[in-house]
Amino acid sequence: MTTTGADHATAFTGPWWWSRWRSAVLDVGLALVSALECAAEGIPFARDAGIPLSAGIVFGLLAGSVLVLRRKWPIAVVLVAIAITPAQMGFLMGIVGLYTLAAAELPRRIIVALAGMSLVGTMIVTFVRVKQDMARGDLTLGDWFVPFAAVTTSLGLTAPPMLLGLYVGQRRRLMESLRERADSLERELQLLAERAEERAEWARGEERTRIAREMHDVVAHRVSLMVVHAAALQAVARKDPEKAVRNAALVGDMGRQALTELREMLGVLRSGEAPQRRTFAAPGPAPASASASASASVSSASVPLAAVGVAAAAAASRVAAEEGPWLSELEVLIGQSAAAGMVVDLSVEGSARSYAAVIEQTAFRVVQEALTNVHKHAAGAKTHVRLAHRVAEIAMQVENEPPPEPASAASARLPSGGNGLVGMRERVLGLGGVFVSGPTDAGGFRVSAVIPAT
């Protein structure tokens, strides 16, 4: 884990302007050495200047101790070093001051100007001192040595600390840039993790909604028909025993189908596997078509619960998509409703053709849920089912007339949670279609949906 910018800013634990105690101890040590050096160099300076030795020593101590301010005011340190250069004092302070100046985050023109002043000052002082030594006879070299000594000495005292300071400063800025980039990446990763968690939560909600919609569509229709048949069975049990037996058989068949599909769905949620799906013969005049078997494997039991839920929902969707229902089973669906006492009229426009599995499934579920609502709210009402195969879309409409007896809708006592229309709308809109539902002027109810064919 990298150190964030805030943590880096709060890491300043040293006294005054120092970031760390180690830096303070280093600067104080350098200032002490520089003060001792300048004090020692102040003795010959006092002799040459004709001032008391104590004054030269005190002057050297004060001038050399300025080095303690090198991190706070590097320009001032360099200026003091340049000022005492004629007295041949402050060599350590000049070297350390130039290094600190070059490493500091200052404008380049200021660094170049002060370095040039130090170079020129050192060159002039060295030139004068060497010439005086040669005049006194201390040096017996040729005249060429004077400029050579001046240039080499000034370059030796100026160029190395400058170059080293520039390198260290550039490296420090590079490390700061890398640290800031790492902090930025860390913040971005945290933000991405938060967004990923939000997306995962949203996906879990979507999967829960899809599972609920699948279970509602699979079970609600047959259970509603079972309730209708049970009510009819109760009404004709004594009057027409044969019809009562047929209704009881229908209730049993539909109950077994509902239990089978519910067991398959729960099995997917528990184990993450899509079991073999069996299809019972649907009641009514039209025979039921055989369903193809399918299986889907997902993660093992060691996967977290949320991942199992997502995988189970995906497996359930694949099973439903691969095994239907198909639009060719609409006659079976309508036959089941007709067997429950509903008068249903089916009309198909255009040439029937195959669509994508999800399109056929959605179209079938819309008709199925609309018929279920008729059983719940308008039992006995005549219903018209229209299916239109168009060039670029498929349209369906389920419209029922007013029920013959207003009390018949509540006679079967079918509960309604209000999720049927919501589920149909979500399915159709999810495919880019249009869904409209509402009462008709004649007192009935109409459900219309248009789904793109591609």
Side-chain angles (χ1 to χ4, degrees):
M1 187 68 66
T2 59
T3 303
T4 61
D7 296 337
H8 183 68
T10 58
F12 287 74
T13 57
W16 295 329
W17 58 83
W18 287 286
S19 61
R20 292 171 297 182
W21 278 98
R22 185 175 64 182
S23 302
V25 171
L26 176 62
D27 289 354
V28 171
L30 290 175
L32 180 61
V33 174
S34 177
L36 294 177
E37 177 205 353
C38 292
E41 294 169 346
I43 296 175
F45 169 71
R47 291 173 180 172
D48 295 340
I51 59 176
L53 295 178
S54 58
I57 295 173
V58 171
F59 176 75
L61 289 173
L62 293 177
S65 61
V66 176
L67 189 59
V68 76
L69 305 175
R70 72 183 187 94
R71 297 181 191 266
K72 185 68 173 179
W73 295 298
I75 297 178
V77 173
V78 174
L79 289 176
V80 171
I82 295 174
I84 63 177
T85 298
Q88 289 187 327
M89 299 170 58
F91 294 102
L92 177 62
M93 183 169 59
I95 294 173
V96 177
L98 288 176
Y99 163 80
T100 307
L101 179 70
E105 296 182 0
L106 294 174
R108 294 296 182 185
R109 61 179 182 276
I110 296 178
I111 297 176
V112 172
L114 292 178
M117 292 172 59
S118 177
L119 177 67
V120 173
T122 304
M123 186 183 301
I124 293 175
V125 171
T126 305
F127 184 87
V128 172
R129 290 295 182 179
V130 172
K131 195 159 186 68
Q132 289 177 353
D133 292 340
M134 292 185 67
R136 289 195 302 265
D138 296 337
L139 293 175
T140 58
L141 299 175
D143 294 338
W144 60 270
F145 182 75
V146 177
F148 173 78
V151 171
T152 54
T153 302
S154 59
L155 288 177
L157 295 176
T158 304
M162 283 293 299
L163 295 177
L164 181 61
L166 290 174
Y167 167 76
V168 172
Q170 188 65 27
R171 184 176 181 275
R172 183 185 301 141
R173 285 186 287 272
L174 176 61
M175 295 300 296
E176 286 292 331
S177 175
L178 293 177
R179 184 183 294 111
E180 292 178 359
R181 185 177 299 178
D183 296 340
S184 177
L185 290 176
E186 183 178 357
R187 288 190 294 269
E188 290 180 2
L189 288 177
Q190 293 176 354
L191 181 60
L192 289 176
E194 294 175 358
R195 291 182 177 177
E197 182 64 26
E198 293 176 357
R199 287 194 296 267
E201 184 64 27
W202 174 83
R204 286 192 290 267
E206 288 293 319
E207 296 302 336
R208 287 194 295 267
T209 302
R210 181 163 54 174
I211 293 173
R213 186 167 59 240
E214 289 290 338
M215 296 186 69
H216 177 274
D217 293 341
V218 167
V219 179
H221 178 72
R222 289 191 173 87
V223 173
S224 299
L225 292 179
M226 290 170 58
V227 175
V228 172
H229 280 293
L233 177 62
Q234 183 180 5
V236 301
R238 296 181 180 179
K239 299 178 182 180
D240 191 351
E242 294 183 0
K243 187 175 181 180
V245 171
R246 290 195 300 270
N247 287 340
L250 290 174
V251 171
D253 290 339
M254 292 179 183
R256 281 188 291 272
Q257 294 180 33
L259 286 176
T260 299
E261 294 185 351
L262 180 60
R263 188 181 300 111
E264 291 175 358
M265 187 68 66
L266 293 178
V268 169
L269 294 179
R270 287 175 179 172
S271 64
E273 295 182 358
Q276 184 86 10
R277 180 176 177 180
R278 294 175 296 172
T279 303
F280 290 89
S289 60
S291 300
S293 62
S295 63
S297 61
V298 292
S299 57
S300 61
S302 61
V303 180
L305 180 59
V308 172
V310 174
S317 299
R318 288 195 297 270
V319 170
E322 293 176 3
E323 297 190 358
W326 309 103
L327 288 176
S328 59
E329 302 176 14
L330 275 182
E331 294 183 359
V332 177
L333 178 67
I334 293 175
Q336 294 174 352
S337 296
M342 179 188 295
V343 180
V344 188
D345 178 23
L346 174 62
S347 63
V348 180
E349 300 176 4
S351 300
R353 63 182 188 274
S354 60
Y355 300 91
V358 65
I359 295 177
E360 294 206 18
Q361 177 190 1
T362 301
F364 184 91
R365 294 302 188 193
V366 168
V367 177
Q368 182 186 55
E369 182 59 31
L371 293 177
T372 302
N373 288 339
V374 175
H375 285 292
K376 289 181 179 180
H377 308 290
K382 185 176 181 180
T383 305
H384 304 276
V385 179
R386 299 179 180 87
L387 183 66
H389 299 276
R390 299 170 183 169
V391 177
E393 61 189 14
I394 178 174
M396 64 230 61
Q397 183 183 88
V398 179
E399 180 179 352
N400 64 275
E401 299 177 358
E405 299 179 6
S408 63
S411 62
R413 297 177 183 177
L414 289 170
S416 176
N419 297 319
L421 293 176
V422 175
M424 286 190 286
R425 180 183 298 275
E426 290 176 351
R427 285 179 178 274
V428 174
L429 295 183
L431 297 177
V434 178
F435 180 85
V436 178
S437 63
T440 61
D441 297 336
F445 199 83
R446 180 188 297 115
V447 174
S448 301
V450 179
I451 304 175
T454 56

